[in-house]
């Protein structure tokens, strides 16, 4: 028997009742919904965050992340190659610099507490990204993480799984495509190129893009910088063919009709 703590996308994955896959009962601990699953641990995807036995408190399952700083960058691109854009493309990057609870501890096998904690971090970043995007709708996205020198690359990856990303998908009206990602360990002030792709179909070539992000004085050795980027369009003057954003939108409209 395993227990799973359901993320904020609990309803999204239809796990809110005993009819969910592998769910045989549910309980509340400290106000949060915890489900008991009869699936073996290797069959549980990140749709259910695997936790400790039900008798453990939620605080043991889900560590609290300390966000030390938040940086929001907004770029409006109006012209490229000497040509004015029909509509400007807005790109935003939200960086949350969090204290790394595993810094300096060497190899830690169980990263599930970090994955669980990333759900709230995703919601935190989502609110700021949508606010920065303003009146524009997101068409593409990307994510990245820089781990300070006292941590390991896998610490950032644990904070960037689907558990982290689904609150952002919900905030921008969905996202069917996987999210391009880049992580590394680096000294403070190191630049990272955040890859981006269309949020609903990775085969939209015009939206293969990115943002270069630098965290001034960070991350410190005991920190992780978690980055999420949104854009309201693809590259200006994109002209290499392939599927278009409008075609993806038409396909979605037809499927939902």
């Amino acid at each position: 028997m395993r227990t799973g703590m359901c993320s904020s996308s609990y309803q999204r994955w239809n796990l809110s009742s005993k009819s969910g896959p592998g769910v045989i009962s549910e309980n509340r601990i400290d106000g949060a919904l915890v489900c008991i699953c009869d699936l073996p641990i290797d069959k549980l995807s990140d749709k259910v965050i695997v936790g400790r036995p039900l008798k453990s408190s939620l605080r043991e399952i889900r560590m609290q992340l300390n966000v030390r700083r938040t940086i929001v960058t907004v770029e409006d691109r109006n012209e490229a190659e000497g040509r004015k854009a029909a509509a400007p493309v807005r790109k935003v990057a939200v960086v949350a610099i969090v204290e790394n609870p595993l810094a300096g501890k060497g190899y830690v096998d169980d990263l599930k507490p970090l994955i669980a904690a990333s759900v709230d971090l995703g919601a935190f970043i989502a609110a700021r990204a949508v606010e920065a995007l303003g009146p524009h709708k997101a068409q593409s996205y990307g994510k990245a993480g820089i781990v300070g020198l006292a941590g390991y690359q896998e610490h950032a990856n644990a904070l960037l799984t689907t558990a982290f990303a689904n609150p952002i998908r919900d905030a921008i009206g969905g996202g069917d495509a996987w999210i391009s990602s880049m992580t590394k360990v680096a000294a403070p002030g190191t630049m990272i190129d955040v890859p981006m792709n269309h949020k609903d179909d990775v085969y939209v070539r015009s939206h293969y893009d990115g943002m270069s992000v630098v965290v001034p004085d960070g991350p410190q050795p005991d920190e992780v910088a978690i980055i999420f980027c949104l854009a309201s369009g693809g590259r200006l003057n994109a002209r290499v063919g392939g599927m278009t954003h409008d075609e993806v939108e038409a396909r979605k409209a037809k499927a939902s009709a």
Side-chain angles (χ1 to χ4, degrees):
M1 188 75 67
R2 304 291 181 183
T3 64
M5 184 183 71
C6 300
S7 72
S8 61
S9 55
Y10 197 87
Q11 296 286 344
R12 174 189 181 96
W13 295 111
N14 193 29
L15 292 176
S16 57
S17 71
K18 296 178 184 179
S19 62
V23 178
I24 58 176
S25 68
E26 58 187 38
N27 293 270
R28 287 192 175 272
I29 300 178
D30 292 353
L33 195 58
V34 176
C35 56
I36 300 178
C37 302
D38 60 0
L39 296 176
I41 197 166
D42 60 344
K43 297 299 183 183
L44 286 168
S45 71
D46 52 8
K47 297 174 186 177
V48 177
I49 303 169
V50 180
R52 299 173 184 267
L54 190 60
K55 63 182 180 181
S56 299
S57 73
L58 180 62
R59 294 183 184 88
E60 291 179 297
I61 300 172
R62 189 171 185 166
M63 63 174 57
Q64 192 73 28
L65 291 176
N66 177 29
V67 179
R68 290 177 171 172
R69 286 193 290 159
T70 307
I71 301 170
V72 180
T73 301
V74 178
E75 174 189 343
D76 287 327
R77 186 160 294 190
N78 302 294
E79 182 179 331
E81 301 178 60
R83 294 167 57 92
K84 289 284 187 181
V89 172
R90 173 164 293 187
K91 300 165 77 173
V92 305
V94 178
V95 186
I97 300 96
V98 303
E99 181 180 352
N100 184 355
L102 301 182
K105 294 186 177 180
Y107 176 83
V108 176
D109 186 65
D110 186 4
L111 298 181
K112 291 188 292 292
L114 274 182
I115 297 172
S118 73
V119 176
D120 290 339
L121 183 63
F124 175 84
I125 288 177
R128 283 145 187 82
V130 170
E131 181 182 19
L133 204 58
H136 306 279
K137 291 186 177 181
Q139 292 187 14
S140 62
Y141 48 26
K143 59 185 179 178
I146 309 174
V147 183
L149 296 177
Y152 297 101
Q153 184 179 12
E154 203 66 3
H155 297 165
N157 288 309
L159 292 170
L160 288 169
T161 69
T162 305
F164 161 83
N166 276 344
I168 303 175
R169 285 187 168 101
D170 292 340
I172 63 174
D176 294 333
W178 49 260
I179 307 172
S180 296
S181 182
M182 171 65 182
T183 59
K184 64 181 180 181
V185 177
T190 299
M191 179 182 291
I192 190 167
D193 290 326
V194 185
M196 301 176 70
N197 57 268
H198 194 279
K199 74 180 186 70
D200 290 312
D201 199 310
V202 295
Y203 290 102
V204 180
R205 296 176 189 167
S206 58
H207 287 56
Y208 295 152
D209 202 358
M211 291 188 73
S212 297
V213 176
V214 175
V215 180
D217 299 324
Q220 292 298 310
D222 66 340
E223 295 176 338
V224 182
I226 295 298
I227 307 161
F228 203 91
C229 298
L230 295 175
S232 65
R235 303 183 310 277
L236 296 185
N237 303 321
R239 52 191 186 277
V240 294
M243 188 182 299
T244 68
H245 168 72
D246 289 341
E247 288 172 344
V248 173
E249 289 295 293
R251 184 185 67 197
K252 289 172 58 182
K254 183 178 180 180
S256 62

